Structures are given as C-alpha cells and as structure tokens.
Amino acid sequence: MVNQTGHTDHGDVIQPARDSNHYGDRITQNYYGSTPGPDDQSIDEESAESSSASGSAAALGGSGLGLLAFFGLLGYFIFGGDEPFPTQSDPWPVGVERVAVIAAAGSWFEKCQKSESASPINCPQSLIETSGKVSKAHWAFYGSYLEAPVIQYSEGESRFDMLGTVVVSADYTVSKKARRVVTPMKYWAKVNWIDGQLEVQEIKEHSAVGDPEVVKVEPRQPWGPVETRLKNEFDRCLRGATSAMPAGCPDWQLPADAKKVKWSLTEDPLLTARASFDSKFGVFRVKGTYGVAVDYTSRDSMRSEVRNTNYEALVTTSEAGPVVLQIKDLV
C-alpha cells in the first residue's frame, strides 16, 4: 500500500503493458548492462515448457524449502503481516503452460492500470492521501512486471500462485495540485483453475519473511539515451518550478509567500552520474550530484538559496526509449 503523508504541496515520495526495450542490431554505441548470449534468448521458451517452473527463484533443496516455509510461518504468526507465499508446488494440471498463467495475470494488470480509483479492489496499488480527496488517478506499471515470476500450484485450492515484482507509478491531483508517487513492490497474483479456465481472483501487494527471490535480466540499454532523458527531466523540474519543483522532481519547497522565483542549475547532474541495475524490480537506479540555486522574494526581502545534493533517479526502459520515473534527494 502506498502511504503518502507529510509531503509538500507539489512534492512526492517514493514508498515506490510490460515494458521492454529491444534495440537489436541498431546498437552501435557503448552500453551498460550485460550482453545477452544465445542461452539467454531461450529462457522464455524453456520456461513455457515447464509445467511446474518457479521463475528465477534460487534453487533450493528440500531442506532449504522447509526452512523457508518454517521461518515464513514463524514470522507470520509472531510478527503478523502477509501470509507466506507457498514454497512448494503440486503437479500442474495437464496442458496448462507457464505462459498462460502469466498472460492471465497480465490481462488483470491491464484492468488495474485502467482504473481511476485511488484503491481499486483486487489490484495491488493503493493511495492513502491525508491532505484531501484524490482525483484523476493515472496508474502505470513498470519494471518488466511479468518477467521471472515464481509460480506454484495448489491442487487442493485449484489455484496458481504467482509472485513477482512491479514498479507502480501514480499521477493524481489533490486540491488541484499534481502529485506523483512511485512504489516498487512485490505482488501475489492468485489465479484460479476452474473448469479448464484460468481466472484471476486478485493481485495484491505482498511482503513476507521467506519469500522466494525474483531476479530479472538486465536489459541492453545504452547510456546515451538515458543521459539525454535524465537531462531533459532536470530541465523540466527547473522549468516547472514555482515555490516547489513539479511532481516527480526533488522535494524542495520555498516559503509559502515566495515570489519572483528564479531557479537555475549550478552543477551538471550528469557529471559524475552512474547507473546500476536493480534486478529485483527491473529498473535502473542512477545516482549523481546536482547543484541548484534559487532566488526569490519573501517578506519583501530578496533571498537566495543554493543546494548541492546527491540524488537517485529511477529509470525504466520502454519501446519508446528510457523513462525517468522519479528523481529524489538522497539523505
């Protein structure tokens, strides 16, 4: 659940169709990330043939699975929280393939993404807004959220349980002011097997002790387009800044009576920036340093502030190129 409290009027916080970027032979420049080999290209095909595959979870022996289940149940009963995800699978029904279960969950994600509700039922996303009523909620899912899920089948429940990760972006308005929340989360999709049909019961946010790992493959993403998109995003943050920067930008708010505000960059945010891939959530985390100066009038006096701060930007890939989801200050 996204829990947004204590934000500025224009601020935002990180709580947080499948996106991918296929450049193929068109890549002619250096890139960061691992280069996929022939074996990597056959991962999906091999997974589709497995009737009881478990995604990219680390291989564990019987004793390891037992320990995970034990500690998961122990944490559940002692500390509360979410019920543990199943650590073992019964034999799958004949004819059901992994890709079909994933496709069923993907169709439900599309429905959840279309909702304008702040907390659509049977969906993983939710907003809690304490400063007013949420309106015009626009949801988007990133992080290759259908990649490498762990899938188990329960014969007694006639249900497939699918554990994956997603980065949820929410753009909405409160009191006519735009806001954005970006939330990386694990999800649990429950897909019933009824009369030979796959029917999604729900997809919910999930976190529990002993959950199997979800590990995603680093996409082949050149640095140049990321650098350009990130520079454009910083320009947007300054160009749209008034007494605070726009949604999705660093949280820096001036006094409420600030007037004649002028923002300017004093240090190139790409100068020492470097990216690393978050294999759990399927996004790049770019870390760097930016410098900003702002001049404004408050209480009939001219004032100036300068900030040199380290930042982290969440960047995902898409068919149209890199997408900067959010820039936040590092503390």
Side-chain angles (χ1 to χ4, degrees):
M1 176 178 292
V2 177
N3 187 350
Q4 183 180 8
T5 57
H7 44 61
T8 64
D9 287 343
H10 297 278
D12 44 79
V13 297
I14 282 189
Q15 304 289 322
R18 175 179 179 180
D19 54 288
S20 59
N21 202 356
H22 304 283
Y23 288 91
D25 296 332
R26 291 187 289 114
I27 296 182
T28 58
Q29 52 187 308
N30 294 330
Y31 58 88
Y32 59 84
S34 57
T35 304
D39 293 336
D40 296 325
Q41 298 173 359
S42 62
I43 289 176
D44 290 340
E45 288 80 3
E46 293 172 1
S47 298
E49 295 173 2
S50 173
S51 63
S52 60
S54 58
S56 296
L60 293 171
S63 60
L65 288 172
L67 285 174
L68 279 176
F70 172 76
F71 285 115
L73 287 171
L74 184 65
Y76 176 53
F77 287 114
I78 295 179
F79 302 106
D82 294 345
E83 61 178 308
F85 185 82
T87 57
Q88 300 185 48
S89 178
D90 293 327
W92 287 29
V94 176
V96 180
E97 295 185 345
R98 175 181 172 84
V99 290
V101 179
I102 295 175
S107 296
W108 197 260
F109 266 111
E110 291 178 3
K111 293 182 179 181
C112 292
Q113 187 169 250
K114 292 177 181 178
S115 176
E116 295 184 356
S117 170
S119 301
I121 194 169
N122 298 322
C123 293
Q125 73 268 33
S126 181
L127 286 169
I128 296 179
E129 179 59 65
T130 60
S131 60
K133 182 179 179 181
V134 174
S135 62
K136 298 180 180 179
H138 175 73
W139 301 97
F141 300 138
Y142 298 99
S144 299
Y145 54 89
L146 298 179
E147 180 186 351
V150 179
I151 305 177
Q152 313 284 28
Y153 178 68
S154 170
E155 187 175 3
E157 298 287 340
S158 294
R159 187 183 73 208
F160 291 93
D161 294 295
M162 175 172 154
L163 184 73
T165 63
V166 60
V167 178
V168 180
S169 174
D171 288 283
Y172 61 101
T173 58
V174 174
S175 302
K176 298 182 180 181
K177 296 175 182 177
R179 293 192 175 140
R180 176 180 297 171
V181 176
V182 177
T183 312
M185 67 170 68
K186 282 190 293 185
Y187 68 82
W188 181 347
K190 298 183 177 183
V191 184
N192 294 327
W193 176 244
I194 303 175
D195 298 328
Q197 300 292 324
L198 293 168
E199 296 183 3
V200 176
Q201 175 183 333
E202 66 172 345
I203 301 179
K204 64 178 182 178
E205 182 181 3
H206 178 75
S207 179
V209 176
D211 279 345
E213 293 184 4
V214 175
V215 182
K216 303 180 182 182
V217 177
E218 183 173 347
R220 186 170 176 167
Q221 172 61 64
W223 169 247
V226 174
E227 187 177 36
T228 299
R229 191 61 59 91
L230 193 53
K231 179 182 181 302
N232 292 341
E233 190 68 9
F234 268 102
D235 289 342
R236 180 189 73 86
C237 289
L238 294 186
R239 187 172 60 250
T242 53
S243 60
M245 292 189 186
C249 299
D251 184 5
W252 186 3
Q253 187 173 12
L254 303 178
D257 67 338
K259 299 178 181 178
K260 298 180 180 179
V261 181
K262 183 179 179 180
W263 300 77
S264 60
L265 274 176
T266 59
E267 182 174 340
D268 182 2
L270 282 307
L271 185 63
T272 60
R274 288 295 179 265
S276 62
F277 183 68
D278 185 335
S279 60
K280 180 178 180 179
F281 294 107
V283 294
F284 289 99
R285 296 180 181 270
V286 181
K287 294 183 179 181
T289 303
Y290 74 95
V292 170
V294 57
D295 299 316
Y296 61 95
T297 300
S298 177
R299 297 181 180 180
D300 298 325
S301 299
M302 287 297 299
R303 301 187 180 186
S304 297
E305 295 184 29
V306 178
R307 176 182 291 187
N308 288 86
T309 306
N310 296 332
Y311 71 87
E312 179 183 73
L314 289 185
V315 181
T316 187
T317 57
S318 73
E319 293 181 356
V323 178
V324 178
L325 301 179
Q326 189 173 56
I327 303 172
K328 67 168 185 175
D329 289 343
L330 291 176
V331 294

